[in-house]
Amino acid sequence: CKKISDAGVNGLGHALGQAPNLASVDLNFRGCEKIGDDGVNGLGQALGQAPNLASVDLNFASCENIGDAGVNGLGQALGQAPNLASVHLIFAWCKKIGDAGVNGLGHGLGQAPKLSSVHLSFANSVSVKADSRHEVVQKLLRGHGSS
């Protein structure tokens, strides 16, 4: 996938976001070097508007141009999906993602009213501290009225 860039991901997201009966998305962009924050943001914005979307599984492992802005934007956008119940996101080996991105992701996802299942992987993303992962969990719980 060395030729897939932000433009391709944005186009795909736009098309999927307009599918009125879309309930589940499973996309693997592992190792797509040209995908960055703009692509992740655009995909998230489009999917966040899909009225029936219940499940999102995205693999961006080794997409080295994705940073805090992309992850934060994705979380904010998916948090607006009215029926989103399950999220599985892989950002392993994405070394531009740090604490700010992880915290923003948690805050955004925590706004999804029906979210009940979250799996996040930041394996080998050395700039993410363990404390940030804990904060993500806390933000998700707070978003659903728990403490």
Side-chain angles (χ1 to χ4, degrees):
C1 68
K2 297 199 183 282
K3 293 184 179 182
I4 298 174
S5 69
D6 289 341
V9 175
N10 281 328
L12 175 63
H14 180 72
L16 291 175
Q18 292 184 351
N21 296 317
L22 182 68
S24 178
V25 172
D26 185 347
L27 301 172
N28 186 343
F29 295 105
R30 181 182 177 122
C32 295
E33 299 168 355
K34 293 183 179 181
I35 296 174
D37 292 338
D38 290 342
V40 174
N41 275 326
L43 180 63
Q45 291 295 325
L47 294 178
Q49 300 301 312
N52 295 310
L53 187 63
S55 175
V56 173
D57 187 336
L58 302 174
N59 184 344
F60 289 104
S62 298
C63 294
E64 296 178 1
N65 287 313
I66 297 173
D68 290 340
V71 174
N72 185 359
L74 180 66
Q76 299 301 317
L78 290 179
Q80 301 305 306
N83 290 301
L84 186 64
S86 175
V87 174
H88 184 234
L89 303 175
I90 299 174
F91 290 101
W93 296 99
C94 295
K95 297 186 181 201
K96 290 184 178 179
I97 298 172
D99 295 341
V102 174
N103 287 327
L105 176 66
H107 179 72
L109 290 176
Q111 303 305 307
K114 295 186 179 179
L115 189 63
S116 62
S117 175
V118 177
H119 173 89
L120 303 174
S121 174
F122 295 97
N124 296 306
S125 298
V126 294
S127 58
V128 177
K129 298 175 185 170
D131 290 347
S132 292
R133 294 180 186 133
H134 176 73
E135 289 177 32
V136 167
V137 172
Q138 294 302 315
K139 287 180 180 182
L140 287 170
L141 291 173
R142 278 194 295 266
H144 291 286
S146 302
S147 54

